[in-house]
């Protein structure tokens, strides 16, 4: 059963999320339908998606059993947020809302509420922590 559909017709994308099989992207191009399925193996925190919203930066936010996931459809990158970012451990079905005034995204969970503020920084300022486990020079 589909939770919600997000339409991005200007880019030709439609996103569907379900209760147990992750995120599905549908793209219509030159009269053909292209499907792509995303799940834990692609970087989503958990395949059990409870809510979905489009942020003001055209990224897709998913609430799951294991935290929030931000998906960037421009590069197919997933970034997960969970403890210690916030204390909500599991999100609830259909407990999400976008404030029309502040553009905040709200996601409700079994032990609290999390909101995402409007993104104002450009994407290129994201600097992930890097760790090297092995280095070979040849």
């Amino acid at each position: 059963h589909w939770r919600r559909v997000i339409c991005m017709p200007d880019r030709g994308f439609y996103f569907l999320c379900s209760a147990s099989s992750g995120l599905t992207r549908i793209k219509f191009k030159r009269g053909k339908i292209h499907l792509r399925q995303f799940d834990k193996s692609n970087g989503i925190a958990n395949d059990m998606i409870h809510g979905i919203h489009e942020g003001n930066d055209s990224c897709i936010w998913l609430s799951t059993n294991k935290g929030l996931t931000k998906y960037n459809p421009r590069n197919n990158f997933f970034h997960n947020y969970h403890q210690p970012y916030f204390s909500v451990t599991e999100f609830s079905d259909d407990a999400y809302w976008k404030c029309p005034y502040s553009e905040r995204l709200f996601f409700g969970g079994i032990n609290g509420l999390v909101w995402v503020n409007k993104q104002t920084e450009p994407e290129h300022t994201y600097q992930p922590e890097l760790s090297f486990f092995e280095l070979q020079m040849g």
Side-chain angles (χ1 to χ4, degrees):
H1 130 284
W2 300 110
R3 290 260 178 245
R4 183 160 184 230
V5 178
I6 288 187
C7 303
M8 301 173 97
D10 57 319
R11 304 187 69 203
F13 291 138
Y14 294 83
F15 294 94
L16 307 156
C17 66
S18 71
S20 62
S21 60
L23 179 70
T24 302
R25 182 185 71 196
I26 301 172
K27 185 173 185 175
F28 298 97
K29 189 173 183 181
R30 291 184 226 151
K32 293 185 180 180
I33 298 173
H34 301 272
L35 294 174
R36 177 141 186 215
Q37 186 68 31
F38 298 100
D39 57 24
K40 288 189 302 189
S41 67
N42 301 106
I44 297 176
N46 187 272
D47 293 341
M48 180 70 72
I49 298 174
H50 297 285
I52 181 171
H53 265 306
E54 180 182 0
N56 67 314
D57 59 353
S58 297
C59 288
I60 307 296
W61 287 85
L62 309 168
S63 59
T64 75
N65 273 6
K66 304 276 185 180
L68 287 178
T69 297
K70 180 181 180 182
Y71 167 65
N72 184 336
R74 292 178 292 280
N75 60 9
N76 292 325
F77 181 75
F78 292 90
H79 186 83
N80 296 304
Y81 300 89
H82 44 77
Q83 288 181 322
Y85 295 111
F86 47 79
S87 61
V88 175
T89 54
E90 181 181 330
F91 288 90
S92 300
D93 286 345
D94 302 321
Y96 55 92
W97 180 67
K98 183 174 185 175
C99 177
Y101 305 106
S102 67
E103 296 187 24
R104 280 186 180 150
L105 307 178
F106 291 86
F107 297 94
I110 61 171
N111 61 333
L113 179 71
V114 173
W115 64 86
V116 178
N117 288 324
K118 180 178 175 180
Q119 300 297 119
T120 55
E121 293 185 23
E123 252 180 70
H124 66 274
T125 61
Y126 172 68
Q127 297 179 0
E129 183 178 315
L130 298 176
S131 300
F132 289 98
F133 296 98
E134 184 176 325
L135 179 64
Q136 294 181 351
M137 309 269 303

